[in-house]
Amino acid sequence: VTLSLRRLRQLDDRYHFLREAAPDLDERCRFTFSAKDNICAAGMEATAGSRILSGYRPPFDATAVRRLREAGGALVGKTNMDEFGFGTFCTNSGFGVPLNPYDTERSCGGSSGGAGAAACLIPDHVAVGVSTGGSIACPASFCGVFGFTPTYGRVSRYGLIDYGNSLDKIGVLSRSCAQTEEAFLAIAGKDERDPTSQAQPPLPAGGRPVRSVAVPVEALQGLSAEVAGAFDGGLARLMGMGADVTEVSMPSLKYAMPAYYVLATTEASTNLARYCGMRWGAREEDVNQGFNDFFSAPRSKEFGAEAKRRVLLGTYCRMVGFRDKYYMKALAVRKMIIAQYEEVFARHDVIATPTMPFVAPRFDDVRAMTPLQNYSADFLTIPPNLAGLPHLSMPCAYAPLPVGLQMTAPHWDEMTLLAFGKEWENGFDFRWPEVEA
Amino acid sequence: MRKIHNARGHTSSVPEGGIVDLGEVDRVARAARLRLSEEERSMYAKDLEDILAAFSVLDQAPSAENYDFNPVPIHDVLREDVPSAGIPPEELTAHMDTYQGYVRGPRLS
């Protein structure tokens, strides 16, 4: 292991991707890893990027952290993130903004933005991230690394601070797909502490060959010129590797963005109800006030603007009179989209799209976006996340900033993506940023 | 505006045509236990209106009869209820405001 804590702190002084560094680093470890700040590690602060959880130090390891330690990994820090995972650009943390290693005036992507920067800046490093609607693939695309999101239910979420229970998935970001696979194999599998992990079939020994790649025409609209050109180049490379590429139509994808935001905010608004100043983090001192005032005060003071927006939206969508119109409809739409994916997978091995419609944006461009424009930027990462499908973002070109190609496979077929990713990285001309630290 | 009655018999206004007015924002904020400043009230009224207008595409989607709560089948799994050491309760409550082993909370009124 070449990383020292001193070097890690130098990098962090420059790029601000950590919430907290580990107090020590065992140099005999097999590899170093970091955990997104919504994943618990014993004794380290876990805030999920929210000031309402300031000072919370869980006394236990999340299952994913425990399994990586058991596999010989040393945890070097907790990575910064959008508050509770609410964001596409990692600009919604209560604790500062990580800077893109390729251009410090640009976003790392979100919500696992600190993990994207850590994976890019530190060789041989495993950055554990979490994706609800694209929070692994997006920072992987903007930071030029592999970002792997497994099938919903494949990796135990014990010790994860929830955002959306029917959507959250723990995954891995890394410079190398081989290392991504190794880390995934360590954290995957059933865990009696997470019932959603119990339904999974065993992992197959290897992947299927990728011979037929489907590209939904719906994913080709609204791309920046850089991304459209880079994606064409990526498809040419795929064909050079022996795959057929076919355009398909998936009309139900037009419902994915609204269905996702209905489900995600509905689930988030119930999950965030527990942050009311009693058990974790920020607290009201005066217990003699009524419970409504006691609970409302820290929420109003400590939640950031996007957290309040999503709590309001989610609360609205499940209020009396609106539940059928929004929540139940979104559940039905998700089922319909999964069925459409299955139709495509009956004829093709995987689906390929760009990961994001543009390269890492400048912070002033991010500030100029409305919330709806911001949500709409996720239109390529939302569909596989909504459907719980495994997907891998791979660096496919530099324009001159990195562009990601996102490949999606059927439920539980992670090994096909990882086998392909290892083939993809073999001979790919990686351009790592010049690190100014 | 039309009036609806919720399960407790309270009456509230539901905007038609996707208009989210300040009263609606207040009602949602109260349910979510958020106190909003004047500036936040108008910002979120506009944001919710924009976002809900984009959600209206869901009205064209086929019926909502066939649905699942999770994207893959999840079984109800029960394990034996075996007492074990786990994490000592005093460690789990170390960061909480406790009194004789109980978490301190507000008055229920």
Side-chain angles (χ1 to χ4, degrees):
Chain A
V1 169
T2 53
L3 182 70
S4 66
L5 284 180
R6 188 170 160 271
R7 176 67 180 151
L8 182 70
R9 291 202 183 94
Q10 277 175 350
L11 290 170
D12 188 44
D13 284 345
R14 177 78 178 123
Y15 299 99
H16 310 301
F17 56 96
L18 286 183
R19 281 281 298 114
E20 181 174 338
D24 44 51
L25 168 57
D26 183 350
E27 280 164 16
R28 293 161 304 171
C29 67
R30 286 188 54 237
F31 61 95
T32 66
F33 72 99
S34 54
K36 188 175 178 177
D37 195 32
N38 54 356
I39 300 172
C40 292
M44 294 183 78
E45 195 178 12
T47 67
S50 183
R51 301 200 82 88
I52 207 162
L53 277 167
S54 291
Y56 172 54
R57 290 182 186 274
F60 64 96
D61 276 346
T63 297
V65 168
R66 179 175 57 78
R67 287 181 176 171
L68 284 173
R69 289 194 211 266
E70 286 167 1
L75 177 68
V76 297
K78 302 290 295 291
T79 51
N80 203 358
M81 58 181 286
D82 286 298
E83 184 172 13
F84 291 110
F86 303 154
T88 307
F89 305 109
C90 216
T91 48
N92 296 331
S93 170
F95 307 95
V97 178
L99 309 180
N100 192 302
Y102 286 87
D103 178 347
T104 52
E105 289 180 8
R106 291 176 187 265
S107 161
C108 288
S111 67
S112 311
C120 174
L121 290 165
I122 310 169
D124 306 315
H125 182 75
V126 169
V128 182
V130 181
S131 180
T132 306
S135 287
I136 290 174
C138 168
S141 178
F142 289 173
C143 294
V145 296
F146 288 88
F148 180 60
T149 308
T151 310
Y152 174 81
R154 181 63 96 184
V155 175
S156 167
R157 298 182 293 181
Y158 175 73
L160 170 67
I161 297 171
D162 298 315
Y163 165 1
N165 302 59
S166 80
L167 297 158
D168 296 340
K169 302 158 288 282
I170 293 180
V172 176
L173 298 91
S174 169
R175 278 191 182 195
S176 135
C177 192
Q179 187 143 31
T180 301
E181 179 181 76
E182 204 177 320
F184 165 67
L185 292 174
I187 62 178
K190 296 182 182 183
D191 176 9
E192 67 167 21
R193 289 176 159 141
D194 174 7
T196 55
S197 76
Q198 302 274 353
Q200 64 181 290
L203 269 170
R208 296 172 297 116
V210 172
R211 297 208 177 88
S212 175
V213 178
V215 176
V217 289
E218 291 78 6
L220 300 175
Q221 292 149 14
L223 305 178
S224 71
E226 295 108 305
V227 168
F231 183 63
D232 282 346
L235 292 181
R237 185 161 189 255
L238 268 173
M239 290 189 271
M241 292 165 71
D244 289 330
V245 174
T246 313
E247 281 193 2
V248 298
S249 177
M250 297 181 70
S252 70
L253 293 187
K254 74 175 170 202
Y255 303 122
M257 191 283 278
Y260 167 76
Y261 274 98
V262 168
L263 295 181
T265 59
T266 300
E267 294 180 11
S269 69
T270 59
N271 277 320
L272 265 57
R274 75 189 61 156
Y275 304 113
C276 58
M278 254 180 72
R279 287 180 289 171
W280 304 278
R283 180 162 50 212
E284 278 291 280
E285 295 305 326
D286 178 11
V287 289
N288 288 317
Q289 53 187 325
F291 71 95
N292 255 322
D293 288 331
F294 182 93
F295 292 154
S296 300
R299 296 168 64 77
S300 309
K301 185 161 164 262
E302 308 294 344
F303 282 156
E306 184 60 26
K308 288 180 186 173
R309 185 176 290 112
R310 294 199 192 195
V311 165
L312 291 170
L313 187 57
T315 304
Y316 182 93
C317 288
R318 61 191 167 84
M319 283 182 102
V320 175
F322 297 134
R323 189 171 175 271
D324 286 355
K325 179 178 166 66
Y326 293 114
Y327 180 64
M328 301 310 291
K329 196 66 175 272
L331 288 176
V333 161
R334 165 156 68 188
K335 188 158 177 147
M336 182 174 78
I337 289 174
I338 291 172
Q340 192 149 76
Y341 268 111
E342 283 167 356
E343 281 171 33
V344 175
F345 288 135
R347 282 170 289 124
H348 305 280
D349 298 313
V350 294
I351 292 172
T353 68
T355 307
M356 293 300 291
F358 40 69
V359 296
R362 296 174 53 87
F363 289 117
D364 43 11
D365 291 332
V366 171
R367 276 189 291 272
M369 292 172 88
T370 65
L372 182 59
Q373 285 170 332
N374 188 325
Y375 297 176
S376 303
D378 300 339
F379 79 98
L380 297 166
T381 59
I382 280 175
N385 277 282
L386 177 66
L389 294 163
H391 53 285
L392 175 66
S393 180
M394 309 178 279
C396 88
Y398 300 88
L401 292 159
V403 177
L405 184 149
Q406 176 177 266
M407 203 172 254
T408 303
H411 286 140
W412 313 116
D413 196 7
E414 290 90 351
M415 299 314 284
T416 293
L417 293 175
L418 292 165
F420 183 81
K422 287 192 291 180
E423 226 182 301
W424 181 266
E425 74 182 337
N426 189 10
F428 182 81
D429 182 18
F430 289 98
R431 292 181 214 166
W432 300 113
E434 305 236 345
V435 176
E436 300 168 39
Chain B
M1 299 286 262
R2 68 196 158 88
K3 300 281 181 188
I4 62 158
H5 298 274
N6 70 16
R8 290 179 191 154
H10 298 146
T11 311
S12 55
S13 300
V14 177
E16 283 167 359
I19 306 299
V20 181
D21 62 21
L22 292 177
E24 189 72 0
V25 171
D26 292 342
R27 189 169 75 103
V28 178
R30 244 190 334 272
R33 294 209 166 91
L34 289 173
R35 287 183 206 141
L36 303 181
S37 67
E38 279 307 311
E39 201 183 330
E40 285 176 317
R41 284 173 81 213
S42 19
M43 174 177 77
Y44 290 129
K46 170 153 193 346
D47 291 349
L48 290 193
E49 187 168 327
D50 283 356
I51 295 163
L52 292 168
F55 286 2
S56 66
V57 68
L58 289 175
D59 296 340
Q60 303 161 24
S63 88
E65 313 252 303
N66 193 11
Y67 63 86
D68 291 315
F69 288 106
N70 287 289
V72 297
I74 299 294
H75 316 302
D76 280 330
V77 192
L78 299 177
R79 58 184 154 85
E80 291 303 309
D81 192 8
V82 184
S84 68
I87 306 168
E90 56 277 15
E91 276 189 41
L92 282 172
T93 57
H95 55 276
M96 300 180 197
D97 182 10
T98 55
Y99 175 74
Q100 296 185 351
Y102 293 92
V103 179
R104 214 187 285 263
R107 283 191 302 126
L108 288 176
S109 61

